[in-house]
Amino acid sequence: MSSPIIVFGSINMDLVVYSDKQPAKGETILGNSFETFQGGKGANQAVAISKLGCPVSLIGKVGNDVFGDELLESLNSEQVGTSLVERHEGPSGVAFIYVFEETSENQIIVISGSNEQVKSNQIPDKELSATDVLISQLEIPPSEIEDLFIRAKKSGIYRILNTAPALKISKNLIHETDLLVMNESELENLTEQTIERQNTDSIGQAIKGLNLSTTQSIAVTLGSKGVYVYANQKGQFIDGHKVEPVDTTGSGDCFIGALASQYLESNDLLDSVNFANKAAALSVMKRGASSSMPTLKEVVNFQ
Ligand code: RIB
């Protein structure tokens, strides 16, 4: 196996309903369409990396159900390395996604299924040490992420943690991460501070509360507005790109996958964030999560 980038994360079958508007509590409305997509934050990030032409392996679990078969087939067809994806005797993870077409906003409920069974020991030390970048998110057990990040540190691997969905995590897991990536509500959850939306002073203030070391960085995504990057104890705002959004599901995953693949190339965080910003803008113009990830050519030719 051994790829320069490893994603340790979730794999879901996304069951997506498109409707004009959001129903009120207790209301039934008629929707516009229904589609299924391969999703899960981990799998989406791995597909984003692969679509950009970088070899990537995914560590995760799918169930022994028909979704598990379909998810593996789809990941293989996207050239994601799946030799460390195990089958669990139980159901695969699923995500119920509602996309409201008037605003292109979504709501997501995830049922973890096999993702709850993902273990750090699915990857042996020898294979882990051959990688350069390790990425994870919080749809698999945080204690297993912490264990893997501690193991990865011994080999000097760059560890990226996407703190989504917004869960409580240990101080040590934050300490064991080189780059944290999150949106504003996830930053509020992590810092237990209220943030004035899209206000960089307020975001910078909240970040200070994390007491990051000089070698740690953080990227806070602000949707279409852009990204706030904090590195070397300094914050910087990067503008977003104006596009017509169709479906924003997975745009955060696209951002992380693209950032990691560019970081592998340039070793430069700001350059990587700029690249990822373009990739994420392209991803919101298509339906689905993994299915909306752009190619390298598309990102390079964008604007
Ligand atoms: O980030 C988008 C993803 O969140 C979806 O693909 C869904 O599976 C949930 O994990």
Side-chain angles (χ1 to χ4, degrees), residues 8 25 61 89 100 105 130 140 173 179 196 204 213 280 303:
F8 183 54
K25 274 188 193 152
K61 286 198 180 177
E89 290 301 309
F100 308 113
E105 282 169 337
I140 57 170
L173 176 53
L179 171 65
E196 204 182 307
S213 76
Q303 293 196 349

Side-chain angles (χ1 to χ4, degrees), residues 13-132:
M13 182 59 84
D14 287 355
L15 311 174
V16 190
V17 173
Y18 294 88
S19 74
D20 288 333
K21 63 177 181 84
Q22 191 173 6
K25 274 188 193 152
E27 185 191 15
T28 302
I29 60 166
L30 294 179
N32 296 336
S33 58
F34 170 76
E35 289 191 60
T36 58
F37 295 103
Q38 177 255 295
K41 295 184 192 303
N44 296 340
Q45 292 168 17
V47 171
I49 294 163
S50 178
K51 284 283 284 271
L52 290 166
C54 180
V56 59
S57 291
L58 178 61
I59 308 173
K61 286 198 180 177
V62 292
N64 61 352
D65 49 9
V66 64
F67 285 166
D69 297 339
E70 285 177 29
L71 289 166
L72 274 179
E73 202 182 304
S74 160
L75 287 165
N76 289 329
S77 73
E78 296 285 5
Q79 275 81 51
V80 170
T82 57
S83 61
L84 296 173
V85 176
E86 294 180 359
R87 299 300 293 251
H88 164 66
E89 290 301 309
S92 296
V94 284
F96 296 86
I97 303 183
Y98 304 89
V99 178
F100 308 113
E101 295 187 295
E102 267 173 21
T103 56
S104 78
E105 282 169 337
N106 62 41
Q107 285 184 328
I108 305 179
I109 299 178
V110 173
I111 305 294
S112 299
S114 47
N115 295 306
E116 263 171 358
Q117 309 301 326
V118 175
K119 300 273 185 278
S120 158
N121 66 12
Q122 283 178 239
I123 180 163
D125 281 333
K126 190 161 171 259
E127 292 182 22
L128 180 63
S129 62
T131 203
D132 299 301

Side-chain angles (χ1 to χ4, degrees), residues 234-246:
K234 269 201 306 257
Q236 186 171 338
F237 172 69
I238 296 173
D239 250 328
H241 297 276
K242 299 269 167 294
V243 291
E244 272 306 313
V246 172

